[in-house]
């Protein structure tokens, strides 16, 4: 006869874990969906929960779709899961590649957290054959809150995965997608040099990504056919003292405004914001600088909507 794990006469801690798990589940899900996974470090077998305080609680026990062959559940184990109260995943139609699914159970409000915790502990102990709670680790997180620490569980917390290092190509793809969305110009592409040209009103804003050190150089042409003179350099010096977030310079007869944004850590919206600011600055300054130095404005494209945040 199977016994309630809360009556743990062997002192292995399962009863204590069951009570702590019920308390942890009752505390999760305030204001958002939050998730808790209890996993056997040796076999990879797990139970997991999705909790939202005003909605429902969803529980899952791993199926063979997520287990390596060496740790796959036997037919006897899958029958035991059903006997415990788990709903099996739907059968896979022959010749299809369905999304893998686990054994599952849903609970309406109000939830009997003690019953949920008992089901989870019996699953781990009786079906997944986890010998001691100490072989379990937990992983908890929220959709907005990120990683959640639950020290009262008394389990080892799974270390967060190492962040995947971004490459120049992956950063460029993210920047390109963000600029397409912000400008509404879905045809934006990087040129053969990797530069992304973003039309902004009468300005042309260019984004170039550099990896050593990692940063994005953003610049916009203001006026062309600029003749070098003392007056010009005095004006550039005055602009560079006044404008703190960008700098003005002349190269091959073209007057630019430029800034740099670090990409480690990379925040794509910082690049979008810098493009918008430089586009606005180039448009605002063009007429004054053109009139002052008598140079024609750069030919612009058709005005486009301002970049969104």
């Amino acid at each position: 006869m199977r016994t309630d794990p809360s009556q743990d006469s062997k002192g292995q801690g399962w009863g204590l874990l069951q009570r702590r798990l019920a308390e942890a589940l009752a505390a999760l899900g305030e204001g958002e969906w939050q998730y808790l996974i209890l996993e056997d470090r040796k076999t990879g077998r797990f139970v997991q929960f999705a909790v939202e305080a005003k909605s429902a609680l969803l529980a899952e026990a791993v199926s063979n779709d997520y287990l390596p062959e060496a740790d796959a559940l036997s037919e006897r184990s899958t029958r035991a899961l059903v006997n415990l109260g788990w709903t099996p995943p739907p059968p896979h139609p022959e010749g299809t590649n369905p999304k893998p699914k686990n054994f599952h159970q849903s609970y309406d409000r109000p939830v009997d957290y003690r019953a949920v915790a008992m089901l989870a502990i019996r699953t781990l102990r009786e079906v997944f054959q986890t010998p001691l709670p100490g072989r379990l680790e937990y992983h908890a997180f929220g959709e907005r809150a990120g990683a959640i620490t639950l020290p009262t569980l008394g389990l080892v917390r799974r270390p967060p995965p190492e962040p995947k290092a971004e490459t120049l190509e992956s950063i460029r793809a993210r920047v390109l997608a963000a600029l397409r969305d912000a400008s509404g110009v879905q045809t934006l592409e990087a040129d053969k040099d990797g530069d992304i040209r973003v039309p902004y009103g009468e300005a042309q804003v260019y984004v170039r990504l550099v990896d050593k050190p990692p940063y994005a150089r953003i610049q916009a042409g203001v006026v062309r056919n600029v003749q070098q003179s003392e007056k010009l350099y005095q004006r550039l010096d005055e602009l560079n003292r006044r404008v703190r977030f960008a700098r003005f310079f002349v190269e091959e007869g073209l007057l630019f405004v430029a800034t740099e944004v670090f990409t480690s850590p990379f925040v794509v919206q910082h690049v979008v914001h810098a493009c918008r600011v430089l586009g606005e600055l180039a448009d605002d300054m063009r007429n004054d600088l053109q009139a002052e130095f008598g140079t024609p404005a750069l030919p612009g494209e058709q005005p486009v909507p301002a970049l969104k945040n």
Side-chain angles (χ1 to χ4, degrees):
M1 180 178 181
R2 299 189 188 279
T3 58
D4 181 345
S6 65
Q7 308 302 318
D8 190 350
S9 60
K10 296 183 180 180
Q12 294 178 326
W14 288 109
L16 179 59
L17 176 58
Q18 179 178 306
R19 292 191 293 273
R20 288 174 168 177
L21 176 58
E23 292 168 359
L25 291 173
L28 288 175
E30 189 61 42
E32 64 168 339
W33 281 98
Q34 295 182 340
Y35 306 89
L36 172 61
I37 304 168
L38 304 184
E39 181 175 337
D40 187 316
R41 291 196 298 271
K42 184 175 180 180
T43 65
R45 296 173 179 176
F46 63 83
V47 293
Q48 63 184 10
F49 311 90
V51 188
E52 204 282 319
K54 295 182 180 179
S55 180
L57 184 148
L58 306 176
E60 291 189 347
V62 67
S63 73
N64 285 339
D65 285 319
Y66 289 100
L67 291 171
E69 187 174 348
D71 293 308
L73 300 172
S74 65
E75 289 187 16
R76 181 178 178 181
S77 294
T78 58
R79 286 196 301 270
L81 288 172
V82 174
N83 289 337
L84 282 177
W86 293 103
T87 301
H92 293 180
E94 219 177 301
T96 65
N97 294 300
K99 182 179 180 181
K101 294 184 178 179
N102 291 317
F103 292 84
H104 55 277
Q105 187 59 270
S106 61
Y107 299 85
D108 294 326
R109 301 290 173 183
V111 176
D112 185 346
Y113 293 105
R114 291 178 298 178
V116 179
M118 181 187 293
L119 175 62
I121 296 304
R122 291 187 66 181
T123 299
L124 291 164
R125 188 179 183 184
E126 299 173 11
V127 183
F128 293 168
Q129 298 295 301
T130 301
L132 294 167
R135 209 167 80 177
L136 297 172
E137 64 182 10
Y138 81 91
H139 177 44
F141 57 95
E143 291 182 320
R144 295 188 300 274
I148 298 172
T149 302
L150 298 171
T152 57
L153 278 175
L155 299 178
V156 174
R157 181 184 173 204
R158 183 201 303 172
E162 290 291 328
K164 185 178 179 181
E166 288 208 86
T167 64
L168 194 64
E169 289 71 24
S170 67
I171 293 176
R172 182 177 291 116
R174 289 177 60 192
V175 168
L176 190 56
L179 290 175
R180 285 172 178 166
D181 180 64
S183 67
V185 182
Q186 298 302 312
T187 55
L188 289 182
E189 292 290 349
D191 62 22
K192 63 180 181 180
D193 297 320
D195 294 341
I196 304 170
R197 186 181 71 172
V198 187
Y200 188 99
E202 294 298 322
Q204 298 291 311
V205 181
Y206 291 81
V207 180
R208 170 170 291 184
L209 298 168
V210 181
D211 60 353
K212 293 182 180 179
Y215 70 92
R217 177 183 175 86
I218 302 152
Q219 64 184 44
V222 184
V223 292
R224 62 177 179 175
N225 298 333
V226 176
Q227 300 298 317
Q228 296 186 24
S229 67
E230 185 67 23
K231 180 182 177 183
L232 169 67
Y233 291 118
Q234 289 177 353
R235 185 73 165 105
L236 292 179
D237 186 53
E238 181 269 328
L239 287 171
N240 288 327
R241 287 198 308 271
R242 180 160 57 89
V243 180
R244 299 301 181 105
F245 54 84
R247 69 182 188 279
F248 291 81
F249 65 97
V250 172
E251 185 175 300
E252 297 181 354
L254 181 60
L255 195 156
F256 288 96
V257 59
T259 192
E260 283 83 33
V261 176
F262 284 112
T263 56
S264 180
F266 176 60
V267 181
V268 68
Q269 288 305 320
H270 290 176
V271 177
V272 174
H273 177 71
C275 288
R276 186 178 68 253
V277 169
L278 255 66
E280 291 175 353
L281 187 59
D283 273 350
D284 289 344
M285 297 296 299
R286 179 173 295 108
N287 290 337
D288 287 346
L289 291 172
Q290 177 183 339
E292 189 171 350
F293 296 104
T295 55
L298 286 172
E301 303 292 335
Q302 292 295 318
V304 297
L307 296 175
K308 298 178 290 184
N309 286 317

